[in-house]
């Protein structure tokens, strides 16, 4: 075996750091979530659902997590600030019964409730316990190529009373949405030509009288 000199070791570490950086960048869709409108239904602590969407490098922070309240179900409504091509999902939990056991994805159904989860999901996964956030679940890209709203339903876990999630990673591409309603507002705000016609006619009316 070849001796591992200090220079060579630095080189390896540099390559590993670059690879980790590239992987982290791929999981940057959390930056494209409209957090003001993000919802997590059945979260025990209000606002905790939003904490699990963060940088891939920060997935190991176990002070930030969401735990379900009444039962093991959790439902996330995730609006994006544009259109997303979703390529993969990571779900990280404890290495115990509180880790979600299944994940169901729905696209473009804003404000989903638990009643709405009775419908057929766009894709469903059986999950493995993943305490380190390494397992990637690839989506059917053709089905998730134009997503402006993603709902993630966790219907069950591995047997605990409540479900606990530390990190959800979303991998994909983001493009800016072209908003037509802005143009319509501009037209409505512009002056009404009919108002000007009345002004032009009124001097003639005074002249005749």
């Amino acid at each position: 075996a070849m001796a591992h000199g200090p220079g060579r070791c630095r080189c390896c570490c540099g390559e590993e750091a670059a690879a980790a950086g590239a992987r982290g960048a791929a999981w940057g869709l959390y930056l494209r979530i409209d957090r003001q409108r993000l919802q997590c239904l059945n979260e025990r602590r209000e606002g905790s659902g939003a904490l699990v969407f963060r940088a891939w490098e920060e997935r190991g922070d176990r002070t930030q997590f969401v735990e379900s309240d009444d039962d093991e179900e959790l439902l996330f409504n995730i609006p994006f600030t544009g259109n997303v091509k979703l390529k993969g999902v990571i779900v990280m939990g404890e290495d115990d019964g509180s880790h979600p056991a299944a994940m169901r994805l729905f696209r473009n159904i804003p404000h989903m409730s638990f009643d709405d989860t009775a419908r057929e999901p766009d894709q469903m996964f059986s999950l493995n316990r993943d305490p380190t956030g390494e397992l990637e679940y690839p989506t059917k890209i053709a089905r998730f190529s134009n997503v402006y709203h993603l709902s993630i339903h966790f219907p069950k876990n591995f047997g605990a009373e409540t479900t606990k999630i530390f990190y959800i990673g979303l991998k994909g591409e983001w493009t800016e949405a072209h908003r037509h309603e802005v143009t319509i507002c501009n037209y409505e705000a512009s002056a009404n030509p009919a108002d000007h016609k009345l002004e032009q006619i009124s001097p003639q009316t005074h002249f005749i009288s």
Side-chain angles (χ1 to χ4, degrees):
M2 206 160 134
H4 221 76
R8 191 183 299 275
C9 182
R10 268 202 301 277
C11 169
C12 295
C13 296
E15 284 172 12
E16 281 174 22
R23 184 167 186 197
W27 295 91
L29 279 186
Y30 73 97
L31 294 167
R32 305 300 188 180
I33 294 172
D34 183 348
R35 289 182 179 268
Q36 298 298 315
R37 297 190 297 128
L38 174 71
Q39 281 183 319
C40 179
L41 305 188
N42 198 35
E43 59 184 4
R44 176 168 292 182
R45 199 172 76 252
E46 190 176 343
S48 57
L51 301 177
V52 303
F53 298 97
R54 56 184 188 269
W56 185 79
E57 295 84 359
E58 294 168 17
R59 69 195 186 285
D61 179 1
R62 292 190 169 262
T63 63
Q64 302 190 72
F65 62 88
V66 62
E67 188 172 3
S68 62
D69 191 13
D70 295 332
D71 53 29
E72 73 275 26
E73 281 190 89
L74 281 169
L75 175 61
F76 291 87
N77 280 315
I78 308 158
F80 294 105
T81 57
N83 291 321
V84 162
K85 180 187 284 186
L86 184 66
K87 297 181 175 181
V89 183
I90 286 177
V91 181
M92 176 180 154
E94 293 277 23
D95 194 10
D96 62 17
S98 70
H99 195 295
M103 173 172 66
R104 305 167 77 236
L105 303 182
F106 300 85
R107 64 182 180 89
N108 301 343
I109 311 172
H111 313 296
M112 270 190 79
S113 67
F114 283 110
D115 291 340
D116 298 322
T117 60
R119 69 174 76 194
E120 190 72 23
D122 289 292
Q123 195 166 354
M124 184 170 174
F125 299 90
S126 290
L127 303 182
N128 294 307
R129 289 181 188 151
D130 184 14
T132 55
E134 296 290 338
L135 298 177
E136 178 183 336
Y137 298 93
T139 61
K140 298 170 182 169
I141 295 176
R143 192 167 286 186
F144 291 93
S145 64
N146 195 14
V147 180
Y148 59 84
H149 186 283
L150 177 70
S151 297
I152 307 179
H153 178 219
F154 296 101
K156 60 182 180 177
N157 59 26
F158 286 96
E161 285 184 18
T162 58
T163 296
K164 204 170 183 181
I165 297 173
F166 289 98
Y167 170 79
I168 296 176
L170 302 174
K171 184 170 84 170
E173 297 167 15
W174 176 87
T175 52
E176 198 168 346
H178 299 293
R179 297 196 176 279
H180 299 294
E181 61 266 28
V182 176
T183 327
I184 294 164
C185 290
N186 289 344
Y187 285 131
E188 287 172 355
S190 64
N192 186 344
D195 297 338
H196 297 290
K197 283 179 190 163
L198 290 174
E199 287 165 18
Q200 289 161 4
I201 293 165
S202 53
Q204 296 173 344
T205 313
H206 290 303
F207 178 73
I208 290 164
S209 62

